[in-house]
Structure formats: C-alpha cells, structure tokens
Amino acid sequence: MTETQTETQAQEPVEQTVPGGTRWGVFAAIMAVPTLVVAGLIALLVAWLFTDDSVDTGEQKVSCAEAFAYGGAKPPTGARDLGCVLEAAPDPRYEARFLLRSSEVSAWVAASYPDGPGLRHVACGGDHDVYACMNRGPVAGQSASVQLEVTYDGPKWSVVRFVAFTE
C-alpha cells in the first residue's frame, strides 16, 4: 500500500507557537533606566531641600549696646533697623548697621566722640556711595579703633556702618 501525500502530511508534527514571544521585556528594561535616573534626581532634590546647609560665617548676633560700648559710643536715638554682630576671631570685631536721619548723623558722631575726629566728606575709600566717613584709632582708656561709613538711603535717611575692632 502506498501512502498518499495527504497521509504523510498528517503524520508530520505540527509546529506549536509559544505564547509571550513579544519584546515587552526588552522595552521594559530600556524604560527602567531613565525612570530610575529621574527617581534618583528627585530623591537628591528632596534631600537637598530638607538638609541644613547653613554655613557658619563666624558671626553671632549681639546686643547693640555691647557693640557700641566696645567702640566707646552709645546707640543713636531714633535709629531704625539696628542690627549688630560680633565676628569670631582672635580679636573681637563688632559691626552695627542702622538707618539714621541724615540730619542727625553728625550730631550723633559729635556726641559719641567729643574729642574728635569728626566726620569727613572727602577721601572715604574706594566706595563711591560713601558720602561721609570717620576713622578713629584707640584713645586713652579704650583698646578699640572705630570706622564709620555713611551712605545715602533716600533724601532723608542715611545708612550708617559702625565697626569697632582691636588693631
């Protein structure tokens, strides 16, 4: 008996298709890398926002009475926005900044340092905004030198920078 062609084909094993032969796994692996990078950047941003990144500048706030007393002066009456700091160094260096009416600056300097020097309006250093200044070395009974710089802050007010330090 001879086999017919149809019977031969029927006896050959039929190839089965395996399910899941797509490339979704490769696509998922490729997409996981940028997703992890973005998640890492977000985590770093959150960590940066919530960490204490304050830098110790060596300055601490002090009472202005202490700062002015070190330089042999009293805080001016009528001063606004008065703030005083002490720089941490081997020798103390006090700095005060405040607003004072321009018409009262010379009177405050004269009352604080009756033995001079007074404010001068020329040769006040390289800052062109400074219209008046004073440099005072240590005098009898004091160990501190004082520097004053006065700049305009509008038509009626001046910003005064008071620095008292040991040379």
Side-chain angles (χ1 to χ4, degrees):
M1 171 162 181
T2 61
E3 293 184 20
T4 63
Q5 192 173 3
T6 336
E7 291 176 4
T8 312
Q9 285 177 352
Q11 292 175 353
E12 288 180 16
V14 179
E15 229 179 279
Q16 295 181 351
T17 346
V18 179
T22 61
R23 298 175 195 224
W24 281 106
V26 174
F27 177 75
I30 291 172
M31 292 307 293
V33 172
T35 303
L36 290 174
V37 168
V38 169
L41 290 173
I42 290 172
L44 286 174
L45 177 66
V46 168
W48 176 69
L49 289 174
F50 290 106
T51 55
D52 180 22
D53 58 350
S54 61
V55 177
D56 183 18
T57 60
E59 290 184 352
Q60 62 184 19
K61 290 187 176 188
V62 294
S63 75
C64 289
E66 176 184 342
F68 284 104
Y70 190 76
K74 291 183 180 177
T77 56
R80 294 175 34 192
D81 301 333
L82 186 58
C84 300
V85 294
L86 169 65
E87 286 186 15
D91 296 321
R93 184 177 190 276
Y94 291 90
E95 184 171 332
R97 287 183 183 265
F98 55 93
L99 288 171
L100 190 61
R101 289 197 178 274
S102 299
S103 60
E104 298 173 3
V105 174
S106 293
W108 171 70
V109 172
S112 296
Y113 304 107
D115 55 344
L119 285 176
R120 66 176 188 265
H121 299 281
V122 293
C124 288
D127 192 353
H128 64 278
D129 292 335
V130 175
Y131 78 85
C133 58
M134 181 191 83
N135 291 318
R136 176 187 170 99
V139 293
Q142 294 179 345
S143 60
S145 295
V146 175
Q147 290 179 341
L148 286 175
E149 292 180 347
V150 185
T151 57
Y152 287 115
D153 186 52
K156 295 182 181 181
W157 293 91
S158 293
V159 176
V160 180
R161 180 176 169 256
F162 172 91
V163 180
F165 58 93
T166 305
E167 292 188 68

